[in-house]
Amino acid sequence: MRVLGIESSCDETGVALYDTESGLLADALFSQIDMHAAYGGVVPELASRDHVRRLLPLIQQVLDDAGMHRTDLDAIAYTAGPGLVGALMVGASTAHGMARALNIPVLGVHHMEGHLLAPMLEDNPPAFPFVALLVSGGHTQLVQVEGIGQYTLMGESVDDAAGEAFDKVAKMLDLPYPGGPSVSALAASGAPGRFRFPRPMTDRPGLDFSFSGLKTHTMTTLKALVRDNALDEQARADVARAFEEAVVDTLAIKCRRALKATGYRRLVVAGGVSANKRLRDSLGNALHALSAEVFYPHPRFCTDNGAMIALAGALRLSQGEHDTGTMHTTPRWPLDTLQAPRAHEDS
């Protein structure tokens, strides 16, 4: 089955073609980062309009790269949520329009399920069951995964997601959007040990996260440095390093707890923050004592992309699941409300 995947949940337009027998055939991505950077964050209306401009040319590019025509498609998958409602509607309406014209099935896919399954695009995919850490600008969640659609939420952020905290700290440090790569780049030249930031909610049982207090601690530290006329470039780097280390250590501690709680020995880490090098190094060290394996997507599939949507859609479509005539978008859509693939009767 050849499935076209469309991702348009936020500020990246992603398209990919996935074959259930041959794997990923082609993919393309257009990032809106440069457009939104001037505003310090995503402007929803601008994001939606840019998806309209980019989507059809990207679809044609992917088909050309794969040596395929639209009539070679067997199904279409699109991101139905969570995300920005206007951006989601661009992908949903395009997918349903194409599917109706081609008389092929179409399916709305959960954005975070796409991230969760993205490591299965790699040569060494994880087997079920496993624990998944989904960590991005909008989500920080630990999920027990027993199979496709068999998800139990173990813990999540009660306030800012990790990626959101990176973005806000980047603004404090006068760094460009997006914040994650900017803070990490600055932290690379920071001195270890000058500042020791708290590891939130690690001094009590449980698997929930909280990063708002860490964000406030960072702001307080910066204000103190300004007051003492000590906020030079090295101090900024030292603060960035202390913040990044605190986030990374917190994530690693909670992942260890989740693996111990389930008895699993496989951890999947996905979402934009999963590309963070310090996080990857820390998790490798933290999980060594548990003899646990860590699986990541390829770096280009850590951020939003069409390949993960094509894959997630293909796994469900191949088992008979599809939309029943009308498109749907769900800006707020808890991952643990999903069910295992099930066939739908046409209505």
Side-chain angles (χ1 to χ4, degrees):
M1 174 182 283
R2 288 185 292 270
V3 179
L4 182 74
I6 295 173
E7 157 60 25
S8 67
S9 64
C10 190
D11 59 346
E12 275 134 350
T13 313
V15 179
L17 184 58
Y18 182 84
D19 189 306
T20 53
E21 294 184 359
S22 305
L24 185 64
L25 301 180
D27 70 284
L29 181 73
F30 182 85
S31 174
Q32 302 174 1
I33 284 176
D34 291 343
M35 178 177 68
H36 295 295
Y39 303 95
V42 177
V43 182
E45 179 64 21
L46 294 180
S48 302
R49 291 177 180 270
D50 203 62
H51 287 309
V52 172
R53 285 192 292 268
R54 308 292 179 182
L55 188 50
L56 290 179
L58 283 176
I59 290 173
Q60 191 58 55
Q61 177 185 332
V62 165
L63 290 170
D64 290 344
D65 289 347
M68 301 282 180
H69 300 283
R70 296 187 186 189
T71 52
D72 295 317
L73 298 176
D74 296 309
I76 301 176
Y78 65 95
T79 301
L84 304 174
V85 63
L88 292 169
M89 289 182 67
V90 175
S93 58
T94 301
H96 269 265
M98 286 184 62
R100 178 163 295 190
L102 296 169
N103 194 29
I104 57 177
V106 60
L107 177 66
V109 171
H110 194 290
H111 177 77
M112 296 310 294
E113 181 172 62
H115 277 303
L116 185 152
L117 298 175
M120 294 185 177
L121 291 163
E122 303 306 308
D123 293 335
N124 179 34
F128 297 114
F130 54 78
V131 170
L133 171 66
L134 303 178
V135 56
S136 65
H139 299 82
T140 302
Q141 299 178 322
L142 279 166
V143 183
Q144 182 177 348
V145 181
E146 297 179 36
I148 304 295
Q150 297 176 276
Y151 310 133
T152 302
L153 182 64
M154 302 181 70
E156 63 183 338
S157 180
V158 299
D159 42 56
D160 291 349
E164 185 179 6
F166 268 103
D167 286 340
K168 291 179 178 178
V169 167
K171 287 184 179 181
M172 298 178 199
L173 292 167
D174 295 320
L175 296 173
Y177 173 84
S182 300
V183 171
S184 294
L186 180 60
S189 58
R194 178 178 177 183
F195 299 103
R196 168 75 181 183
F197 285 6
R199 276 56 173 163
M201 297 182 72
T202 58
D203 59 348
R204 67 194 78 172
L207 294 170
D208 284 335
F209 303 89
S210 173
F211 295 107
S212 64
L214 179 59
K215 177 188 63 180
T216 301
H217 187 91
T218 304
M219 181 183 296
T220 301
T221 302
L222 289 170
K223 286 182 177 179
L225 288 167
V226 170
R227 184 187 63 236
D228 297 338
N229 197 29
L231 187 59
D232 55 16
E233 189 62 22
Q234 185 59 52
R236 291 174 68 249
D238 295 344
V239 169
R241 176 162 184 154
F243 169 78
E244 184 182 47
E245 287 179 342
V247 172
V248 164
D249 285 353
T250 299
L251 294 172
I253 290 168
K254 299 286 183 165
C255 286
R256 281 178 57 92
R257 287 184 186 176
L259 288 170
K260 287 181 178 179
T262 58
Y264 295 168
R265 290 296 176 263
R266 285 182 290 272
L267 175 71
V268 161
V269 186
V273 182
S274 69
N276 183 284
K277 184 180 184 301
R278 195 181 302 276
L279 175 61
R280 294 192 176 207
D281 291 343
S282 179
L283 283 173
N285 293 331
L287 302 186
H288 178 72
L290 298 178
S291 299
E293 292 183 273
V294 188
F295 298 84
Y296 301 95
H298 188 280
R300 69 190 178 106
F301 297 139
C302 288
T303 56
D304 297 350
N305 63 88
M308 69 183 192
I309 301 304
L311 170 64
L315 292 173
R316 288 181 173 272
L317 284 156
S318 62
Q319 296 192 44
E321 187 171 352
H322 59 83
D323 287 359
T324 55
T326 58
M327 73 175 192
H328 68 96
T329 56
T330 310
R332 297 183 181 274
W333 190 3
L335 179 65
D336 56 353
T337 62
L338 290 181
Q339 298 179 0
R342 63 198 185 283
H344 286 284
E345 296 296 331
D346 289 328
S347 58

